[in-house]
Amino acid sequence: ECSGTAAALTTLAPTTKPTPSRWTNEGCPEAWTSAGSYEGGDLVELDGNVYSCSTVTGANLWCGLDAYKPGDSIYWEQAWKLM
């Protein structure tokens, strides 16, 4: 979750869905926008999570497409990395 501070350690109940790590850097990046123009390495926030646009040549062209929406499509990991 994008909070700008380190999260306290807590014990969570088991789940079948992975729990993303918390963003521990200062502040939060800008929110992801559909049809946005992203460069490789750009950071965005979506639903409290922080993602980095791929630095693979050409893959950054996918970062603003709905089919590659961070954490929300079957292809998102080809364009984004969960931070």
Side-chain angles (χ1 to χ4, degrees):
E1 183 172 302
C2 185
S3 67
T5 60
L9 296 177
T10 58
T11 302
L12 301 174
T15 178
T16 59
K17 185 176 179 182
T19 303
S21 58
R22 292 183 175 257
W23 176 250
T24 57
N25 292 336
E26 293 293 320
C28 296
E30 294 292 319
W32 177 83
T33 58
S34 177
S37 177
Y38 297 101
E39 298 292 326
D42 282 354
L43 298 175
V44 298
E45 179 275 332
L46 184 66
D47 298 328
N49 295 311
V50 176
Y51 300 88
S52 174
C53 181
S54 177
T55 57
V56 174
T57 303
N60 65 296
L61 300 175
W62 304 331
C63 290
L65 301 176
D66 287 334
Y68 296 89
K69 182 178 179 181
D72 191 57
S73 71
I74 61 172
Y75 304 113
W76 77 268
E77 291 177 298
Q78 295 176 17
W80 295 98
K81 177 181 177 185
L82 179 62
M83 302 302 290

